[in-house]
Amino acid sequence: MELSDPQFNKSTFIKQLESVVYLFLVLPLLAFGWVFLEKDGNGSLRSVVFENPDLMFHGVMFIGVGYIIVRTTATWTRDVRRGTDKVKELDVKLKMLKKPIIYRNVLWALGAGIGAYGLYEKGDMIYALVFTLFLILITANRPSGRYFSKLLKLKGDEKKWMEA
């Protein structure tokens, strides 16, 4: 296992990255909570998806959601691995992953914001599902030793060090 900086503290790095990731979720989470409580309080939540739909609005919202999902899941992992394959030092690889992970989570927070906005505008519960989808993506892919071990396909000593 190679490190360019023997003083590199992976636990601190992971905790800081995790804090940044969850920081981006705060605003959509607050917005969704407020909108849901307001809509529920005045009885304007609708559980029927296409009962008097605004197809243009729903279409634009789902194009945005589709773009975010495709952009962050279809090729992201392959591109990240390809970008870090040439580097041997594990700490350098982790530092290289910081910006792509933040970018991906900003897009997922934007997707959660789309869910909150759709619920605000139309009151359709389908947007609660959109919000939940992005919430699951953010929490299931949070930075951790095990996550980085799987992402980088680490084996042997590198995997033990990362997951310790």
Side-chain angles (χ1 to χ4, degrees):
M1 183 179 76
E2 294 183 38
L3 295 174
S4 70
D5 179 12
Q7 303 299 321
F8 180 74
N9 187 338
K10 73 168 171 53
S11 297
T12 302
F13 174 81
I14 290 171
K15 289 295 180 192
Q16 287 175 346
L17 186 57
E18 187 178 35
S19 296
V20 170
V21 164
Y22 283 128
L23 184 63
F24 288 116
L25 181 61
V26 169
L27 189 59
L29 188 60
L30 289 174
F32 180 81
W34 176 73
V35 168
F36 187 84
L37 291 174
E38 286 293 317
K39 291 288 183 177
D40 188 44
N42 64 20
S44 58
L45 284 176
R46 298 175 349 147
S47 61
V48 179
V49 178
F50 292 110
E51 171 193 295
N52 193 12
D54 182 355
L55 293 179
M56 181 66 81
F57 180 83
H58 293 308
V60 168
M61 298 300 269
F62 286 111
I63 287 171
V65 167
Y67 171 77
I68 290 171
I69 289 174
V70 168
R71 180 84 172 142
T72 59
T73 60
T75 61
W76 189 86
T77 303
R78 184 187 70 220
D79 292 343
V80 165
R81 279 192 195 126
R82 191 179 303 149
T84 60
D85 277 347
K86 296 173 186 158
V87 178
K88 294 192 185 291
E89 297 88 3
L90 197 52
D91 57 336
V92 174
K93 283 184 181 186
L94 290 175
K95 290 175 186 176
M96 288 174 68
L97 291 172
K98 186 175 184 176
K99 284 185 182 177
I101 287 173
I102 289 172
Y103 172 74
R104 180 187 64 181
N105 280 280
V106 165
L107 285 176
W108 284 344
L110 183 63
I114 289 172
Y117 180 71
L119 187 66
Y120 173 75
E121 278 295 318
K122 300 299 176 186
D124 290 340
M125 288 299 290
I126 190 76
Y127 291 106
L129 292 174
V130 168
F131 179 82
T132 304
L133 169 72
F134 286 108
L135 186 65
I136 290 169
L137 284 172
I138 290 170
T139 55
N141 292 290
R142 70 177 182 78
S144 67
R146 187 166 174 357
Y147 172 78
F148 285 118
S149 181
K150 286 178 64 178
L151 178 65
L152 297 171
K153 292 186 175 180
L154 300 178
K155 294 179 176 121
D157 289 338
E158 289 181 335
K159 183 176 182 175
K160 286 178 188 174
W161 180 80
M162 184 59 71
E163 292 183 1

